[in-house]
Amino acid sequence: MNTAGHQEATARRGLELTPFRGLRYAPDRVGSLAAVTSPPYDVVVRPDGLHHLQDADPYNIVRLILPQADTADARNDQAATTLRRWLSEGVLTTDPEPGLYVYEQREGEGMLQRGIIGALRVTEPSEGLVLPHEDVMPHVVADRAALMRATSANLEPLLLTYRGNGTATDTTAVIERTIEGPPLFATTTEDGFSHRLWSITDPADLARVQSDLTLRQALIADGHHRWATYRRLRAEHGSPSPWDYGLVLLVDTARYPLRVRAIHRLLHDLPVPDALAALDGHFRVRRLEVPLAEALEALADAACAGNAYLLAGDGAFHLVDDPDPALLDRTIPTDRPAAWRTLDATVLHATLLAHIWHIPEDDPTRIAYIHDTAATVKKAESDGGTAVLMHPVREDVVRDLARQGVTMPRKSTSFGPKPASGLVLRTLDG
C-alpha cells in the first residue's frame, strides 16, 4: 500500500489481529493429522470427495464443515453435536494460552507460503480495510451463518492477503524467527503439500505483529461468503462480543506470492450441442480435438486477445472467443470501469448466462462452481451438462478493482494454496 493508503488505514484503526486459544486435534486421538484435514468446504469437488474424506478418519474435519443429513437444521445440529462430543472426548483440545499462529505450506521444492493465523476484527467494506473483490450468493451466506450459529465456532480460516514492502517487516521478522523453533506439528496431505504450524505467545512478538498490521489493508483472496457471514453474525450478536472477530490467515503476497487460478462453471441440464447452437452468430466457436492441457494452452492464447472460454462435456473442447461487440454493448453494464466490463467473468455472467443461455447465476440447480478443471470436465461428461472453463485473472487486476470498491462477478478467482481446514479452529462461546 502507498503512504497515503497507510495513513488512511491507520486513521481507521487498521487491521486488528488478536491472539486466541486455538482448538486443535490431539495427535494421539486421531489416525494422523493429515487424515483429519480437508480442503475448504467449497473445494471438496471430486465425485467421491466427501465420502473419501469421511472414510479417511472418523474425526475428519469435513464432518463439521460439511455435515450430512436430510435437512439443513439436521445438518447443523449434527455438526454442533459432533463438535461437543469431540471436545468432551478430548479429540479436540484448547491450547493453554492465547496466541497467533504461523502457518507454512510447501509443495516440494517449489511453492512456499507462510502467513499468520489470528482473530481479525470484522469490518465493513466502507471502512476500506478488508476489501472484497467478488459478490456473494445469499443462500451460501445463510447456510454458513446457520452452521456457525449452531457450532458457535469458526471452523476454518479465510485466506486474506496484504502487500508488505517486500523486505523483512516486523511481521516477516517474527515469522522467520518463529520458524527456527520446533513446530506444534508437521504433516503432509495427500495433495503433496506439507503443513507446519507454530504458535506465537511472546507479548513482544505479538505486539510487533499487531503494530505492523495496523498499517496494512487486506484483500479477501478466498472466503468471501465466510467473511460476509462474519459480518452478519457480528451484527446479530452486537458489540462487544467474540463475534466481533473472525478466524483468518493473513499472507504478505509481496513476500509469498499466491497462485491465482480460475473457477469453472458446470451448467446442469444444458447439453453442449444446445449451448453451442445458442452462440451462433454471437461468438466464434472452434472445435479442438486435443488433450485438456493443450486445450488450456489454446484458451490462454485466445484470452490474451479478448474474452475466451472453453466449453466441454461432449468428449471434445470448444474454444469460444471473439464476441460480437454490438452484443457486448447491449448486455454489459456501462456503470463500471473498463477493467470490469472486459473481464471474462463479466461477459460470461452478463452476456452468456443471462442473455444467451438464460441461466440464473445463483441457482444451484442450474449451475455449479468448481475449482478443479479436470473434475469439471468429468462431471459435465457424466451428467450431460456443459463445462465452461475459464482463464485466471491477474492478481493486480483483482486488487486494483477492489481498491476502487468494484466487486467482480461471484466466483471469479481462486487464490491458492488455500489453508487446510482442521489445523486450528476457534470457538466463540468461551
Side-chain angles (χ1 to χ4, degrees):
M1 192 189 306
N2 57 31
T3 302
H6 283 173
Q7 294 171 345
E8 183 181 14
T10 303
R12 290 175 301 199
R13 297 179 12 183
L15 298 176
E16 294 183 17
L17 193 70
T18 66
F20 68 103
R21 294 179 65 201
L23 187 64
R24 297 188 294 111
Y25 281 99
D28 61 342
R29 295 299 311 275
V30 297
S32 72
L33 289 173
V36 296
T37 65
S38 165
Y41 78 97
D42 58 343
V43 191
V44 181
V45 296
R46 63 172 132 181
D48 67 337
L50 186 65
H51 296 109
H52 171 82
L53 290 166
Q54 287 179 331
D55 293 344
D57 190 284
Y59 300 116
N60 189 282
I61 191 67
V62 77
R63 297 178 185 274
L64 298 182
I65 63 174
L66 284 175
Q68 298 300 293
D70 292 336
T71 68
D73 287 346
R75 288 193 293 271
N76 296 326
D77 289 345
Q78 182 183 100
T81 300
T82 300
L83 178 57
R84 288 194 297 268
R85 185 175 71 253
W86 290 358
L87 287 167
S88 66
E89 294 175 352
V91 173
L92 290 169
T93 60
T94 304
D95 282 338
E97 56 183 319
L100 299 175
Y101 296 84
V102 173
Y103 176 44
E104 176 190 276
Q105 291 169 278
R106 185 188 294 269
E107 185 180 31
E109 299 300 318
M111 185 78 190
L112 173 64
Q113 177 176 290
R114 292 187 183 122
I116 296 280
I117 294 176
L120 185 68
R121 183 174 69 89
V122 178
T123 59
E124 295 298 315
S126 60
E127 296 180 62
L129 295 174
V130 177
L131 304 177
H133 69 267
E134 289 182 358
D135 295 329
V136 297
M137 291 175 273
H139 73 276
V140 177
V141 176
D143 175 76
R144 290 294 101 185
L147 179 64
M148 284 191 205
R149 285 191 205 97
T151 58
S152 193
N154 298 153
L155 300 173
E156 45 186 348
L158 286 62
L159 175 60
L160 305 185
T161 73
Y162 68 95
R163 299 288 292 178
N165 56 16
T167 62
T169 64
D170 284 341
T171 297
T172 299
V174 172
I175 288 175
E176 296 186 351
R177 183 167 61 252
T178 300
I179 64 170
E180 293 176 357
L184 296 173
F185 67 77
T187 190
T188 300
T189 46
E190 64 176 16
D191 59 5
F193 273 89
S194 63
H195 307 261
R196 296 197 292 174
L197 193 77
W198 296 259
S199 63
I200 302 173
T201 56
D202 178 76
D205 283 341
L206 293 173
R208 289 188 186 96
V209 172
Q210 291 174 303
S211 176
D212 178 45
L213 292 177
T214 62
L215 307 177
R216 310 300 173 195
Q217 179 187 54
L219 174 73
I220 302 176
D222 185 67
H224 282 81
H225 290 92
R226 283 166 286 167
W227 183 255
T229 299
Y230 289 169
R231 290 170 47 213
R232 174 182 291 192
L233 294 174
R234 181 195 63 170
E236 289 179 3
H237 287 81
S239 296
S241 83
W243 299 89
D244 289 342
Y245 297 83
L247 188 64
V248 306
L249 166 64
L250 274 166
V251 174
D252 176 3
T253 54
R255 193 158 184 90
Y256 299 106
L258 298 182
R259 294 171 177 161
V260 186
R261 292 175 171 165
I263 301 176
H264 310 296
R265 277 64 171 163
L266 174 62
L267 309 182
H268 305 302
D269 303 323
L270 179 65
V272 172
D274 294 349
L276 294 174
L279 300 178
D280 187 38
H282 300 302
F283 285 77
R284 178 173 59 179
V285 178
R286 288 172 282 172
R287 184 183 179 92
L288 306 178
E289 298 282 358
V290 298
L292 175 59
E294 292 183 32
L296 291 174
E297 290 177 4
L299 173 62
D301 290 341
C304 292
N307 301 118
Y309 315 88
L310 274 180
L311 270 56
D314 63 346
F317 296 101
H318 306 270
L319 182 61
V320 175
D321 66 352
D322 194 19
D324 174 13
L327 174 65
L328 299 185
D329 289 342
R330 293 196 308 272
T331 56
I332 303 297
T334 59
D335 60 345
R336 307 286 182 89
W340 180 90
R341 296 196 305 271
T342 56
L343 287 169
D344 288 337
T346 297
V347 174
L348 172 64
H349 283 248
T351 304
L352 286 166
L353 291 178
H355 182 78
I356 293 180
W357 292 325
H358 306 290
I359 296 176
E361 63 182 10
D362 57 356
D363 183 351
T365 68
R366 302 289 304 282
I367 185 171
Y369 298 83
I370 304 180
H371 295 72
D372 185 272
T373 309
T376 311
V377 175
K378 182 177 180 181
K379 187 69 172 171
E381 291 177 344
S382 64
D383 293 355
T386 295
V388 182
L389 306 184
M390 309 281 287
H391 186 67
V393 184
R394 299 193 318 273
E395 181 182 356
D396 62 322
V397 173
V398 175
R399 192 175 295 275
D400 182 60
L401 286 172
R403 283 177 172 163
Q404 296 179 60
V406 178
T407 54
M408 299 166 64
R410 57 198 61 176
K411 298 294 183 181
S412 292
T413 58
S414 175
F415 285 86
K418 303 178 190 303
S421 299
L423 301 182
V424 60
L425 292 67
R426 172 178 175 255
T427 59
L428 291 99
D429 54 3

